[in-house]
Amino acid sequence: MSNADGTTSPDREGTPFARRDGYVDDGAGVAAHYGNPLGEQRLLERGRAVVDLGTYGVVTVTGPDRLSWLNSMTTQLLLGLAPGVPTETLVLDASGRLEHAARVVDDGTTTWLVTDPGDAAPLAAWLTSMRFMLRVDVADRSAEHRVVGAFADAPLAAVAPVVTWTDPWAAIAVGGWSYADPSDHPGRDWSLRLAVLTPADAAALAASDVPAAGTLALEALRIAAWRPRLADADERTIPHELDWMRSAVHLDKGCYRGQETVAKVHNLGHPPRRLVLLHLDGSQGVLPAPGAVVRAQSDDAEVGRVTAVATHHELGPIALAVVKRTVDPTAVLVTDAEDTVVTAAQQVIVPPSAGATADVPRMPRLGAVRRPTS
């Protein structure tokens, strides 16, 4: 499918998984579920099911300068990235705000970038605009491939992926930093694999007897693992707010666009907002939608917005939200679902104290007069 800018988007029609019993479309051309979202979560989490992520995009970069070029523009250290080693990187604007995110793996000749839905064409267009005289070629190859996910290799054993990316979220990456408490981080068991398949292999997998889960199942597991994605960002987001320094930012690499903001906030300041997990009151049977306003119960003041919501098979109704840094972590919050007010308890992901890691001592102001204490 061709876009106005000459790039391509995946064909959203005729997903082979639509032939599965119980298929319910999520409105974008993949399965939201197959009739049992909570059961699908359990199968997916145990590494027994696959999830069709056909709305994800695939961008490739080829040429001898590909890794050094990507390294110079994005947040991750990609120079010398070994074939098959998965990582991820972010594209920031000059003020350090998040514009694009990509899951990265190189096969020795091609760097593969797997994007969230809707981001492949814009990312490919931006990369193409930055080519200048370097020996690189950029292509949006979403229409030629289909992405599927699993939490183990076994469900993918019957196909031969073009390339496989394993999420690095389970541990703090070299050069990264986690503001969340690492001692009991729920992402430590997160082992999502994304397989880039040919249409023929995707059809074969869909026709096999491997159990399938919908996107609702994956979203619930992602939220419970505190795993950020581009959908959690808005036009003001900086990586610190989502704890994305953990896996997508290398603090010791060279300069890139937005690097000054990343360093300044991390070393000297605090991110203005912070990601929290909300445990929602599900007693009324309704959930807020992504984008719902979050308010303080005490005075009804707006303090943030919901970015993702799901019902988890163990935790119940949960959501990710980005709230003001100064919100009391013990405060009860509320949000709206249809005409119902839903209360929520916070679980801290990014603490209010995040940042200011340099611990620079404050110097007295020039000309300041010290007054006697007695």
Side-chain angles (χ1 to χ4, degrees):
M1 181 183 299
S2 296
N3 300 316
D5 60 3
T7 58
T8 58
S9 299
D11 181 3
R12 304 305 186 206
E13 299 179 0
T15 168
F17 286 87
R19 301 182 182 90
R20 292 286 186 117
D21 291 343
Y23 176 90
V24 176
D25 197 280
D26 72 348
V30 294
H33 62 85
Y34 298 88
N36 184 7
L38 296 183
E40 293 163 27
Q41 274 185 52
R42 296 185 184 95
L43 288 174
L44 188 63
E45 185 177 49
R46 294 169 187 167
R48 295 175 53 194
V50 297
V51 55
D52 177 20
L53 300 174
T55 53
Y56 281 40
V58 177
V59 175
T60 59
V61 183
T62 54
D65 297 329
R66 66 190 184 281
L67 289 174
S68 59
W69 178 63
L70 289 168
N71 182 77
S72 70
M73 300 184 296
T74 69
T75 59
Q76 187 56 270
L77 180 62
L78 302 176
L79 193 63
L81 182 68
V85 175
T87 187
E88 64 175 336
T89 196
L90 308 175
V91 175
L92 310 179
D93 70 10
S95 299
R97 296 185 177 95
L98 183 59
E99 291 191 334
H100 305 285
R103 306 156 183 91
V104 183
V105 65
D106 192 87
D107 65 10
T109 59
T110 300
T111 302
W112 296 78
L113 309 177
V114 179
T115 74
D116 270 11
D119 197 39
L123 175 59
W126 182 80
L127 289 173
T128 299
S129 74
M130 300 297 290
R131 284 178 56 195
F132 304 116
M133 299 297 292
L134 293 175
R135 298 169 296 171
V136 293
D137 287 296
V138 178
D140 179 354
R141 300 181 61 186
S142 304
E144 305 166 36
H145 301 90
R146 194 170 194 91
V147 179
V148 298
F151 282 87
D153 293 328
L156 303 170
V159 294
V162 177
V163 69
T164 300
W165 176 86
T166 301
D167 199 332
W169 184 247
I172 302 172
V174 174
W177 188 284
S178 181
Y179 294 128
D181 182 0
S183 64
D184 193 30
H185 198 292
R188 65 190 181 278
D189 297 322
W190 180 262
S191 59
L192 179 65
R193 289 112 159 117
L194 297 186
V196 177
L197 304 180
T198 64
D201 268 348
L205 184 63
S208 72
D209 59 0
V210 174
T215 55
L216 291 180
L218 181 61
E219 186 72 341
L221 299 177
R222 179 185 77 86
I223 293 169
W226 303 353
R227 210 304 177 213
R229 53 176 287 202
L230 199 58
D232 299 308
D234 59 23
E235 70 282 354
R236 296 185 293 141
T237 300
I238 59 176
H240 318 63
E241 295 175 335
L242 303 182
D243 205 30
W244 223 339
M245 313 277 281
R246 176 183 177 90
S247 57
V249 177
H250 196 291
L251 290 168
D252 298 323
K253 62 166 287 186
C255 294
Y256 53 89
R257 192 173 67 163
Q259 187 266 345
E260 183 178 0
T261 296
V262 170
K264 186 179 293 184
V265 173
H266 179 65
N267 291 320
L268 303 175
H270 299 284
R273 302 179 298 175
R274 59 187 182 85
L275 187 69
V276 297
L277 181 74
L278 298 181
H279 292 272
L280 303 168
D281 176 10
S283 61
Q284 301 189 64
V286 291
L287 296 177
V293 171
V294 177
R295 307 185 304 278
Q297 187 184 54
S298 58
D299 59 5
D300 210 40
E302 181 176 337
V303 298
R305 289 187 179 270
V306 171
T307 67
V309 63
T311 299
H312 189 269
H313 68 92
E314 290 181 342
L315 300 177
I318 55 175
L320 291 176
V322 175
V323 301
K324 295 177 180 178
R325 180 181 72 88
T326 54
V327 173
D328 182 352
T330 65
V332 176
L333 305 178
V334 297
T335 188
D336 296 322
E338 300 173 6
D339 297 324
T340 302
V341 175
V342 177
T343 59
Q346 299 176 65
Q347 186 172 355
V348 172
I349 298 176
V350 176
S353 60
T357 59
D359 195 25
V360 177
R362 291 186 177 273
M363 302 297 290
R365 298 192 313 274
L366 186 63
V369 177
R370 292 186 179 275
R371 300 188 182 279
T373 57
S374 60

